[in-house]
C-alpha cells in the first residue's frame, strides 16, 4: 500500500510555476490523538501541521521549521513543527467558549504569526535561527499564510489548506523568481487553482489532483518525501531546559523530591531527582557539555 503521508514537490513546466503538495493521514491522526481538542481547534491545528510541512518543503529547510500563532483570545497558541527528516508534531491551547468555526482573528487583538527556521550549518557549533513575524488580520489560515509569503518573498503565491477528523492536506503554488511575469502562465495556474475546494484537496489520491488541474501545462513530479509523527523531546533537551532556568528555579521544580516534566507533544514523562538537578550545575558537568547537541 502506498504511503499516504507524503510531501511532493513539482513543477508546472510550461508556466514557470513550482509547487508543494502535502497529505497527512496517520501523521495527523497521531498529532490529534495527543489531546482532546474541540473540532474547531483540531481543524485549525490540522491546517497548521500541513502548512508547516508545506513551508519546510518549499524553502528546503535543513533542520526544522515551526509555525506558531500566539494571541490573547479564545485561542492562545497553535504550534506545528516539521523537520527536514519529515517528522511532524503540533499542539494547541485554548480557553473559554469557542465558536463552531475558528480562524486567525480568534487569537485576539495584537495576535502574531511566527515562522521560525532553525538550522545547524556544516562545520558550525551554533544553531542559526531565522524568524519572520506577521500580524493576523485575515479570516482563514490559508489567507494569512498567503499574505505572509507574498510579503516575505514578493512572488505571486497561492495556498490552500484543509483538514477534517482523519486527514490534513495543503497545496502551495509560486511563480519561480526567474519566470516571465509578463506571460499568462501564472494567470492560468491561478485560475485553475481557484476552482479547487477543501473537499477536493482532501479527497486524494493526491498526485491525481495535480494532473487533473494542470496537465495541459505539463506537471513534472519531483521525488516524494515520506512524512510521519515524531517528537524531538529528549533527556538532553530537558536537562538543557533546566539549566536555562538556573539552579534555584530548577531545584524549586523538584520541591517534592523530583522534577516531573511532561512533554505536551508526545506525552512522555521525564523525572529528575534533586541530586541529578544539582549535578547539572556542577563545574565538572558543565565542562563536559560539549557545545550544542545539534537540532534535536
Amino acid at each position: 500500500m502506498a504511503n499516504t503521508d507524503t510531501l511532493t514537490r513539482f513543477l508546472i513546466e510550461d508556466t514557470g510555476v513550482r509547487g508543494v503538495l502535502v497529505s497527512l493521514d496517520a501523521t495527523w491522526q497521531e498529532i490529534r490523538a495527543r489531546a482532546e481538542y474541540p473540532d474547531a481547534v483540531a481543524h485549525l491545528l490540522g491546517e497548521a501541521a500541513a502548512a508547516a510541512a508545506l513551508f519546510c518543503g518549499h524553502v528546503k529547510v535543513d533542520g526544522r521549521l515551526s509555525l506558531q500563532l500566539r494571541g490573547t483570545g479564545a485561542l492562545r497558541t497553535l504550534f506545528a513543527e516539521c523537520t527536514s527528516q519529515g517528522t511532524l508534531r503540533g499542539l494547541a491551547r485554548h480557553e473559554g467558549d469557542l465558536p463552531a468555526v475558528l480562524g486567525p482573528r480568534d487569537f485576539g487583538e495584537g495576535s502574531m504569526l511566527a515562522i521560525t527556521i532553525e538550522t545547524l550549518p556544516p562545520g558550525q557549533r551554533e544553531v542559526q535561527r531565522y524568524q519572520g513575524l506577521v500580524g493576523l488580520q485575515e479570516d482563514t489560515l490559508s489567507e494569512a499564510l498567503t499574505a505572509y509569503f507574498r510579503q516575505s518573498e514578493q512572488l505571486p503565491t497561492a495556498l490552500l489548506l484543509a483538514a477534517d477528523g482523519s486527514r490534513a492536506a495543503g497545496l502551495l503554488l509560486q511563480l519561480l523568481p526567474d519566470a516571465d511575469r509578463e506571460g499568462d502562465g501564472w494567470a492560468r495556474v491561478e485560475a485553475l487553482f481557484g476552482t479547487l475546494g477543501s473537499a477536493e484537496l482532501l479527497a486524494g489520491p493526491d498526485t491525481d489532483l495535480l494532473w487533473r488541474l494542470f496537465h495541459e501545462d505539463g506537471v513534472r513530479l519531483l521525488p516524494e518525501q515520506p512524512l510521519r509523527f515524531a517528537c524531538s523531546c529528549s533527556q538532553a533537551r530537558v536537562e538543557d531546559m533546566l539549566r536555562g532556568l538556573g539552579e534555584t528555579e530548577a531545584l524549586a521544580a523538584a520541591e517534592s523530591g523530583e522534577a516531573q516534566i511532561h512533554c505536551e507533544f508526545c506525552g512522555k514523562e521525564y523525572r529528575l531527582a534533586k541530586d541529578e538537578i544539582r549535578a547539572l550545575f556542577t563545574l565538572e558537568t558543565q565542562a563536559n557539555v560539549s557545545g550544542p547537541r545539534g537540532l534535536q
Side-chain angles (χ1 to χ4, degrees):
M1 182 177 178
N3 180 20
T4 54
D5 291 72
T6 55
L7 182 156
T8 304
R9 299 183 184 92
F10 61 92
L11 298 171
I12 308 174
E13 296 190 296
D14 294 342
T15 63
V17 172
R18 61 183 170 181
V20 185
L21 177 65
V22 163
S23 64
L24 303 173
D25 286 331
T27 304
W28 164 228
Q29 292 166 34
E30 285 271 5
I31 292 172
R32 185 174 184 182
R34 301 294 161 172
E36 291 290 333
Y37 294 119
D39 287 345
V41 175
H43 175 88
L44 206 57
L45 180 58
E47 290 188 344
L54 278 181
F55 286 17
C56 200
H58 173 72
V59 300
K60 297 180 182 178
V61 170
D62 184 15
R64 62 172 172 250
L65 181 147
S66 64
L67 180 152
Q68 185 173 17
L69 292 85
R70 301 189 299 266
T72 57
L75 279 171
R76 295 302 176 94
T77 300
L78 195 73
F79 179 93
E81 177 188 86
C82 183
T83 72
S84 53
Q85 288 75 41
T87 63
L88 285 101
R89 62 179 186 167
L91 61 80
R93 295 191 183 98
H94 59 91
E95 289 185 6
D97 296 330
L98 296 169
V101 178
L102 290 170
R105 295 182 189 275
D106 292 294
F107 282 88
E109 187 175 351
S111 57
M112 296 294 295
L113 162 66
I115 295 177
T116 306
I117 296 172
E118 295 177 81
T119 183
L120 186 64
Q124 300 294 314
R125 292 175 59 82
E126 294 297 329
V127 172
Q128 292 187 2
R129 190 170 184 266
Y130 310 91
Q131 187 174 76
L133 297 171
V134 66
L136 293 171
Q137 288 83 41
E138 288 75 16
D139 292 326
T140 69
L141 188 57
S142 295
E143 291 170 353
L145 295 174
T146 300
Y148 171 86
F149 258 105
R150 288 178 171 167
Q151 174 183 311
S152 62
E153 300 194 358
Q154 299 182 350
L155 290 168
T157 303
L159 174 69
L160 180 64
L161 303 168
D164 60 19
S166 59
R167 199 160 200 256
L171 176 63
L172 171 69
L173 302 172
Q174 189 178 79
L175 191 67
L176 288 163
D178 57 355
D180 178 13
R181 298 200 184 195
E182 302 302 320
D184 64 353
W186 175 255
R188 291 201 309 275
V189 167
E190 192 172 35
L192 290 166
F193 175 86
T195 68
L196 180 64
S198 298
E200 188 179 4
L201 182 59
L202 288 171
D206 302 289
T207 51
D208 287 357
L209 172 69
L210 300 179
W211 296 117
R212 288 199 304 272
L213 287 174
F214 308 120
H215 65 277
E216 291 185 1
D217 285 306
V219 176
R220 177 156 64 94
L221 301 179
L222 303 177
E224 287 185 344
Q225 179 180 13
L227 301 172
R228 61 185 176 87
F229 170 82
C231 188
S232 57
C233 71
S234 67
Q235 183 77 17
R237 293 190 77 181
V238 169
E239 291 174 358
D240 287 343
M241 179 272 292
L242 290 170
R243 287 191 190 94
L245 292 177
E247 186 170 5
T248 300
E249 201 167 334
L251 286 170
E255 187 176 356
S256 64
E258 64 177 8
Q260 299 181 24
I261 295 91
H262 174 81
C263 178
E264 294 183 74
F265 293 98
C266 68
K268 188 171 182 178
E269 295 277 354
Y270 295 89
R271 298 171 181 268
L272 285 89
K274 283 188 175 182
D275 288 346
E276 293 175 297
I277 294 174
R278 290 190 185 97
L280 298 177
F281 296 92
T282 65
L283 292 176
E284 181 181 357
T285 301
Q286 291 184 42
N288 289 333
V289 176
S290 54
R293 302 172 188 271
L295 290 167
Q296 302 168 10

